[in-house]
Amino acid sequence: MNDIALKLTSVSGEVYETKKCLSFSLEKEVYTPYSLFSGIFFIDADVMNISDVEFFIGKNLVHKGFVDIIEETESSDGKMVSVSSRGYASLLLQGELPEGLIYSPSLNSLFSRVNLPNITHEDSSDKVNYIYLNPHSSIWDACRMLCLKMHNSHPFISSPNKVSYTLSEKILSFEPKNIISKGNLLNLKNVVSDIYMHSLEDENDTYSMYVNDKEIRNLGIIREKYYAYDKMWAFDSYLGVYTKINLSLKGFRADFVKYDGFSGEDLNDTVIFDKKEGRINHILINGTKNGIQTTLWRYYDRYNNRNN
């Protein structure tokens, strides 16, 4: 695998690089605000003080993050390092914003409130009138709320560690060659059929806001959820109810293709197979001494590939 490279940077600024890879795995998914990388490499370096992990396939920087776990082993073959890392954008889930109203927020103004030097965002000054954050709301919660209110869509992380709202027209569109397998997926494990939520006027045992998903009900699943009134959705309570049911359906229908190699694709680029073009919503890249294989999923849910 001469077209891959691992770059490790220590807290003191020392940089170690290697292309000697036994195996690696990289995964990105449109509803998950970070990339997840793991790999086993040969490298002659002190790696017990690493603060930054970068992984390249060809000229593409496909992952940049911090160390979750790193382990070094010495044998007659040399020093081997096993590393797992999450992208810096995972800090969006761990950092919080204060409870309460944020007036006239835009994506630009939202990020002016936080200090996350390794995370970038789409340049957007478009505003909504306000958003409300519940106690212990994460930065990602605020990003998602703003995106849903502004575009009725879900934000995603483009590579590396960039919060994106809109689907760029400057995308990679390709038809994979050397296809190994392809297929379809139906995942009903977490779907919800009916959502009930209190309104401000409701008594304790009354839930006047109600939505259901007919497609899930027609599949024979009756799975109901009840929620208290949620001030986060005060601007449009029914949007809140629909969002809860829509998020339960994330990725429930999908098709996928697995092929030899990697073409530089990212989330929400388009891929063509089975004579159909659609946005990529899940990427899994695996590499061994035998080469690289990439699996791509296209979701057909309430926020992705809605016109297909």
Side-chain angles (χ1 to χ4, degrees), residues 1 16 64 71 112 115 146 169 172 175 223 240 270 299:
M1 291 187 288
Y16 309 107
K64 182 176 175 67
E71 179 181 300
S112 70
N115 180 25
L146 182 60
E169 294 182 359
L172 173 68
E175 186 169 1
R223 191 175 290 144
T270 61
Y299 292 168

Side-chain angles (χ1 to χ4, degrees), residues 3 49 105 128 132 238 248 255 262 286 292 294:
D3 56 345
N49 206 21
V128 298
Y132 181 86
Y238 267 100
S248 83
D255 56 16
F262 173 67
N286 289 310
I292 296 174
T294 302

Side-chain angles (χ1 to χ4, degrees), residues 4-7 21 24 26 37 41 53-57 60-64:
I4 64 99
L6 176 70
K7 180 179 177 181
C21 178
F24 76 85
L26 175 69
F37 169 75
F41 297 81
V53 178
E54 292 178 301
F55 183 64
F56 297 82
I57 302 178
N60 298 290
L61 174 60
V62 294
H63 174 83
K64 182 176 175 67

Side-chain angles (χ1 to χ4, degrees), residues 83-124:
V83 59
S84 63
S85 168
R86 280 173 293 167
Y88 286 113
S90 62
L91 296 173
L92 296 169
L93 283 175
Q94 299 167 343
E96 295 182 355
L97 287 170
E99 174 190 3
L101 287 167
I102 301 178
Y103 290 102
S104 300
S106 68
L107 190 58
N108 290 351
S109 68
L110 200 60
F111 271 85
S112 70
R113 295 169 172 262
V114 298
N115 180 25
L116 296 169
N118 289 298
I119 301 174
T120 60
H121 59 87
E122 185 177 309
D123 183 14
S124 175

